[in-house]
Amino acid sequence: MANKSLFASIVGKLVPATNARNHEGAPAYELTPKAALAQLAVTGTFNGTFYADARTQLTDVLALAAEVEPEYLAKVAVYAAESGYMKDMPATLLALLSTLPGDAFSRAFPAIVKNGKMLRTFVQVMRSGAIGRKSLGSRPKRLVEAWLETASDVSIMRSSVGNDPSLADVIRMVHPKPATESRRALYAYLIGKPYDVAALPAVAAEFEAFKRDPSGSVPNVPFQMLTSLDLSPRQQMEIARQSGWQMLRQNLNTFERQRLFADEGFTTWLASRLRDEEAVRKARVFPYQIMATYSALAKGVPAEIREALQDAMEIALRNVPDFAGRVVVCPDVSGSMASPVTGYRQGATTKVRCIDVAALVAAAVLRKNQRARVLPFEQTVVNVALNPRDTVLTNAAKLAAIGGGGTNCSAPLARLNGEKAAVDLVIFVSDNESWVDQSATRGTAMMAEWQMLKRRNPSAKLVAIDIQPYRTSQVTDGADILNIGGFSDRVFEVIAEFVSGAGPDRFVKRIEAVDL
C-alpha cells in the first residue's frame, strides 16, 4: 500500500507554483497579457462586479493594452464586438487604438462601428478623458465623418435615438460635408437648423407628416420616436411588425400592457418571429438575454409566446457540441456568483446573475450530452437532480435556485477523485475566486486535484470558463487545460476545438486570426 501522505506531498511538488493572488487574497495563476486582455475584452462591462469596480477594470485594460502590440489590440476589439457582442469595451479599445501609431485603428474602425449606437459610444469614450484625451482628433474625426456620409437616410434616422452624445451632437462636432441636398437637409433637420422641406429625405418627411396626422401608415422609424404619440392598437402592431428581433424580445410586457395579445393573428405572428432561426442568429442575442426576458414575463403574456422564447433559446444554443466520452459540468453556485453578470449599473442593473449564466451553460451541455454529470459547487459539491430532457431554461432555473456559501473550485475534482471516477472532459463555469480551499502546497488545490485526476485519466481535459473580468485563474494553461473568458454561444465552438486537439492557447489564436 502506497504512503498516502508521501504521495500527496509528491503531487504537491509537481503542481506549478502560483504567481499571483486573486481578489480574495488566495493563491492563483496570473494569465498572460494577451490572454488576460482577451478575457477582459469579452467579459468586461466597466460596471461594478462583486470584486472589481469599473475604475479597476479600466485600469487593468489600459495596463494590459500597453503590453501588447496595436495589431493584437485591434483584433481583440473586433473580436469583442463581433463574437463577444460587447459594446462599451470594443469602443474603449478602439478609442485607445486611435492614440497609437500605425493603421490598426483605421482598419478596425469599420469592423466595430457598424451602427449609430456604437458610433455614439465611441465618441463618448473619446470625449470622456478615459484614454487621456477629451477631443476626437483629426484621424477619428475623418472616420466618424465618413461613417455619416456613407450611412443611409434610414440608418441616420434610426441612429438619432439616444443621448450623451446624441447623433445631433456628433454632427455638430465633426461638421460633415453633405454630398447631396437631401443629406444637407437631413443634417439641418436633426440639429435644429433651418432646412429645405422639399429636399428632406422620404423617411424624415414621412415622420413629420405622421406627427401632423397620425391616422396614416406608421413611418419606418425607431419605435422610441413614436411612443409620445396617441397610437391605435393597429398602429402599435404595425410598429412591432417593422421592428427587429431584439426590440420584440425587449417589449413583450409592453405588448401585454397594450393588450395586443388579444389579437390572435398578432400573437401567432409574434411567436413565429421569436422562434425564427434566421432572425435569432441575425439578432446576435446572448442566451442569457433570452433567459432574462423569460424570467421577467408578465402573467398575461400567452403560453404561445413563452414557448416561442424557449424555442429561441434552443436555437441560440444549437451549436453546443455533443462531446464524446464522460463529461462533467461544474457550475459555481457560491455567494459571489449572485452578482449581476454585467455588473452594477445605477438604474440599469441586469437581473441576470453570474449564477444564472453558469447554470445556463451547465443546462445547455446537459441538454446536448444527456449522460453528462452536473456537479454544482460552493464550499462543497451540492447535490441536485436534473432531467436532461427538460428544457434548458427549466434546468437552469433549478441550478440557479441553489446559490450561497464560499467558493471552493477544487471541490468537484475532489469528489471525482474520491470516487475514482473515469472522466474525459470537465467544464467549470466560475468567477475563479476560490478561497475556501487554500492549499499548503506551491500550487492551488484545484491544480493539485486535477493532477491527481490525470493520473487515472491521462487523456482528460479541463476547461475553465471565467464569466467575470479578473486577471487570475485557479489553473494554468497547458496541453490539457484551457482558460476561456466570457460567455456567448461561441464558447462552445472553442471548447469543441480544444477537445478535438487544438492547443490551450486556442482562445488567443482565435483572436489573432481575426481579419482586419
Side-chain angles (χ1 to χ4, degrees):
M1 179 79 62
N3 185 316
K4 292 184 178 180
S5 61
L6 177 61
F7 173 71
S9 66
I10 292 174
V11 170
K13 291 179 180 178
L14 295 175
V15 173
T18 56
N19 58 358
R21 296 270 173 178
N22 62 24
H23 284 275
E24 288 284 3
Y29 298 100
E30 186 172 25
L31 301 174
T32 66
K34 282 190 173 182
L37 180 61
Q39 187 155 296
L40 279 164
V42 178
T43 60
T45 58
F46 295 131
N47 298 299
T49 64
F50 189 85
Y51 290 104
D53 60 20
R55 175 57 59 182
T56 299
Q57 294 177 45
L58 178 59
T59 300
D60 284 346
V61 167
L62 296 179
L64 288 167
E67 297 186 53
V68 302
E69 62 276 12
E71 185 80 3
Y72 182 77
L73 184 62
K75 292 182 177 184
V76 170
V78 173
Y79 185 89
E82 293 186 343
S83 297
Y85 308 161
M86 305 298 284
K87 300 177 181 64
D88 293 353
M89 183 63 73
T92 300
L93 296 180
L94 187 63
L96 185 59
L97 269 173
S98 72
T99 67
L100 302 178
D103 64 349
F105 167 70
S106 300
R107 288 185 291 134
F109 187 94
I112 295 171
V113 181
K114 293 184 176 181
N115 55 59
K117 186 172 183 179
M118 186 63 84
L119 181 80
R120 291 189 296 104
T121 302
F122 169 73
V123 172
Q124 180 186 30
V125 174
M126 290 291 295
R127 300 183 67 214
S128 69
I131 60 165
R133 61 188 305 172
K134 291 190 175 182
S135 62
L136 284 181
S138 57
R139 191 168 47 154
K141 183 179 178 181
R142 285 196 301 271
L143 290 174
V144 171
E145 185 176 357
W147 187 94
L148 289 169
E149 287 304 295
T150 56
S152 67
D153 294 333
V154 172
S155 294
I156 293 289
M157 282 292 287
R158 289 190 171 276
S159 302
S160 65
V161 175
N163 297 299
D164 300 322
S166 65
L167 190 68
D169 294 331
V170 175
I171 292 171
R172 293 188 188 97
M173 286 178 216
V174 301
H175 304 292
K177 300 175 180 59
T180 64
E181 287 305 312
S182 175
R183 183 52 60 89
R184 186 184 304 279
L186 180 58
Y187 288 156
Y189 166 75
L190 290 174
I191 65 176
K193 296 284 187 180
Y195 60 90
D196 182 355
V197 176
L200 203 63
V203 62
E206 290 169 3
F207 176 56
E208 287 301 307
F210 185 77
K211 286 198 297 183
R212 292 191 298 270
D213 178 15
S215 62
S217 297
V218 178
N220 185 23
V221 296
F223 79 99
Q224 294 95 328
M225 299 177 69
L226 304 168
T227 52
S228 63
L229 305 178
D230 185 17
L231 304 177
S232 68
R234 176 190 63 80
Q235 291 172 320
Q236 290 166 342
M237 285 186 275
E238 188 177 345
I239 293 172
R241 291 177 186 275
Q242 294 178 1
S243 301
W245 194 94
Q246 288 280 34
M247 184 282 226
L248 295 175
R249 175 188 66 83
Q250 293 167 344
N251 286 275
L252 294 177
N253 286 344
T254 300
F255 299 152
E256 192 273 336
R257 288 194 300 271
Q258 294 170 338
R259 304 182 66 82
L260 301 190
F261 293 126
D263 186 305
E264 292 185 8
F266 175 76
T267 302
T268 300
W269 170 84
L270 180 54
S272 175
R273 176 69 172 162
L274 288 173
R275 60 166 57 96
D276 181 84
E277 185 168 347
E278 180 59 29
V280 173
R281 282 202 302 264
K282 186 177 179 181
R284 305 172 74 190
V285 59
F286 268 130
Y288 71 72
Q289 291 175 317
I290 301 176
M291 173 191 282
T293 299
Y294 186 86
S295 301
L297 287 178
K299 290 183 179 180
V301 174
E304 189 174 354
I305 300 299
R306 296 174 187 273
E307 292 168 4
L309 277 178
Q310 295 204 48
D311 291 341
M313 175 65 81
E314 300 291 339
I315 293 169
L317 293 169
R318 187 161 288 174
N319 65 344
V320 177
D322 184 359
F323 298 115
R326 293 146 300 202
V327 180
V328 182
V329 193
C330 308
D332 183 348
V333 296
S334 64
S336 63
M337 295 289 284
S339 63
V341 69
T342 53
Y344 295 97
R345 296 178 293 172
Q346 186 173 0
T349 299
T350 177
K351 292 183 178 179
V352 181
R353 304 161 299 166
C354 295
I355 192 174
D356 296 317
V357 177
L360 179 61
V361 175
V365 173
L366 180 63
R367 179 77 165 156
K368 198 66 176 284
N369 304 265
Q370 298 196 356
R371 293 186 179 181
R373 290 185 67 182
V374 178
L375 297 180
F377 68 93
E378 32 153 272
Q379 296 186 126
T380 60
V381 172
V382 181
N383 295 318
V384 60
L386 300 176
N387 183 350
R389 295 191 178 186
D390 281 343
T391 66
V392 168
L393 286 171
T394 299
N395 279 331
K398 288 181 182 178
L399 287 168
I402 302 171
T407 308
N408 181 356
C409 287
S410 65
L413 297 178
R415 166 73 68 89
L416 294 171
N417 283 329
E419 296 174 354
K420 294 183 171 52
V423 177
D424 295 297
L425 173 64
V426 182
I427 301 173
F428 272 76
V429 193
S430 173
D431 59 10
N432 277 324
E433 296 300 311
S434 192
W435 60 272
V436 173
D437 56 347
Q438 293 191 46
S439 174
T441 64
R442 49 192 257 125
T444 63
M446 183 176 176
M447 198 72 192
E449 292 288 352
W450 177 248
Q451 290 207 349
M452 282 190 244
L453 186 145
K454 285 285 291 183
R455 290 178 64 88
R456 295 189 324 276
N457 304 277
S459 61
K461 292 191 173 183
L462 171 65
V463 175
I465 302 174
D466 187 345
I467 55 176
Q468 286 287 59
Y470 309 125
R471 294 179 57 175
T472 63
S473 177
Q474 288 296 294
V475 290
T476 183
D477 281 336
D480 57 340
I481 299 175
L482 172 67
N483 282 292
I484 299 178
F487 171 66
S488 73
D489 56 340
R490 296 289 183 90
V491 165
F492 296 113
E493 296 177 18
V494 177
I495 296 174
E497 291 171 359
F498 176 63
V499 171
S500 65
D505 57 351
R506 186 66 184 92
F507 187 46
V508 170
K509 286 186 175 179
R510 177 178 278 264
I511 291 173
E512 290 178 330
V514 169
D515 185 8
L516 295 178

